[in-house]
């Protein structure tokens, strides 16, 4: 009787552990999580940052070089959609920071390992730098950010005082970091919509902050 009871308990433990009574793992049992190395995380940050900067800045270059066909809403959508797509594509690998400010903010709030911050920032800076260099070669831009075809400056300059520009930048950055902290780090939030919420925030930030800047003469 004791032997039967012991076998029954072992069988129950096997079932709860996702295994059959013979000790083999059933087909429906979850597989162990895949180990993601730090190198893979850095590569994910590099790819995501490169894609973000390349797509967003190329929209600005195309808009200013070819008669403003993209317009500010189009530029805002380009940045926001790229953030959303990259977040859903790479978020499960690296966390989809794509910005040193996000990496530092998460590390300061103990949501991210401090020892990984230098590597993340290096990958982000490298990705953004190569993206800009790619645009410079593709659109024949000189070192001052001007188009060699039409002498069009593709950078931005504050249209009002530096103080007003600082305030707008502060508010836009606060909005972005607030949404990221709310939807990506809080366990009570529905993380399946994190990419959509963060991408929409980027669109809103550019829409209300884009007109603060103008192209210098």
């Amino acid at each position: 009787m004791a032997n039967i009871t012991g076998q029954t308990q072992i069988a129950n433990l096997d079932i709860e552990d996702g295994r059959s009574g013979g000790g083999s793992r059933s087909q429906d049992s979850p597989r162990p999580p895949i180990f993601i190395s730090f190198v893979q995380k850095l590569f994910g940050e590099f790819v995501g940052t490169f894609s973000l900067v390349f797509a967003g800045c190329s929209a600005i270059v195309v808009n200013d070089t070819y008669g403003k066909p993209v317009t500010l809403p189009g530029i805002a959508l380009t940045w926001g959609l790229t953030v959303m797509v990259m977040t859903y594509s790479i978020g499960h690998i690296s966390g989809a920071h794509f910005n040193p400010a996000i990496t530092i903010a998460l590390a300061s709030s103990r949501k991210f390992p401090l020892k990984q911050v230098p590597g993340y920032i290096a990958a982000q800076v490298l990705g953004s730098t190569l993206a800009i260099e790619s645009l410079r070669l593709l659109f024949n831009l000189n070192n001052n950010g001007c188009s060699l075809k039409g002498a069009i400056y593709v950078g931005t300059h504050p249209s009002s005082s530096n103080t007003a520009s600082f305030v707008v930048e502060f508010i836009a950055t606060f909005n972005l970091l607030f949404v990221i902290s709310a939807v990506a780090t809080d366990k009570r939030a529905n993380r399946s919509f994190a990419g959509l919420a963060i991408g929409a925030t980027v669109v809103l930030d550019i829409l209300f902050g884009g007109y603060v800047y103008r192209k210098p003469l």
Side-chain angles (χ1 to χ4, degrees):
M1 182 65 180
N3 188 21
I4 296 176
T5 304
Q7 291 178 355
T8 303
Q9 292 176 349
I10 294 175
N12 291 335
L13 290 175
D14 289 340
I15 293 174
E16 293 176 358
D17 191 38
R19 294 178 295 178
S20 61
S24 61
R25 183 175 293 274
S26 64
Q27 295 180 353
D28 297 333
S29 61
R31 295 181 180 180
I34 300 176
F35 176 75
I36 300 177
S37 68
F38 184 56
V39 176
Q40 289 175 312
K41 294 179 180 180
L42 294 182
F43 184 73
E45 283 298 302
F46 169 81
V47 172
T49 307
F50 179 92
S51 302
L52 176 62
V53 175
F54 183 85
C57 291
S58 64
I60 298 174
V61 174
V62 169
N63 186 67
D64 293 337
T65 305
Y66 299 101
K68 301 187 183 304
V70 184
T71 70
L72 180 62
I75 294 173
L77 285 174
T78 301
W79 285 96
L81 289 176
T82 306
V83 169
M84 182 184 68
V85 171
M86 288 295 105
T87 298
Y88 284 124
S89 301
I90 308 176
H92 60 287
I93 297 176
S94 67
H97 296 184
F98 309 151
N99 190 332
I102 297 174
T103 301
I104 294 173
L106 293 177
S108 63
S109 60
R110 298 182 180 180
K111 299 291 185 180
F112 184 76
L114 185 62
K115 62 181 180 180
Q116 296 184 8
V117 171
Y120 264 54
I121 294 179
Q124 294 158 359
V125 171
L126 179 61
S128 58
T129 302
L130 290 181
I132 292 298
E133 285 299 315
S134 300
L135 287 176
R136 187 176 69 86
L137 294 175
L138 289 175
F139 293 95
N140 295 321
L141 303 177
N142 61 22
N143 294 330
N144 295 323
C146 297
S147 173
L148 299 182
K149 294 182 179 180
I152 299 175
Y153 181 74
V154 297
T156 58
H157 188 273
S159 60
S160 58
S161 65
N162 291 331
T163 301
S165 301
F166 175 82
V167 172
V168 172
E169 286 292 329
F170 181 88
I171 295 175
T173 305
F174 174 83
N175 286 341
L176 179 60
L177 269 297
F178 178 80
V179 172
I180 292 175
S181 300
V183 302
T185 63
D186 196 330
K187 296 181 180 180
R188 297 169 296 179
N190 188 348
R191 297 187 181 183
S192 60
F193 294 100
L196 180 61
I198 296 172
T201 304
V202 172
V203 174
L204 292 175
D205 282 348
I206 296 176
L207 287 177
F208 77 74
Y211 287 107
V212 177
Y213 300 95
R214 64 175 175 83
K215 305 296 181 297
L217 300 177

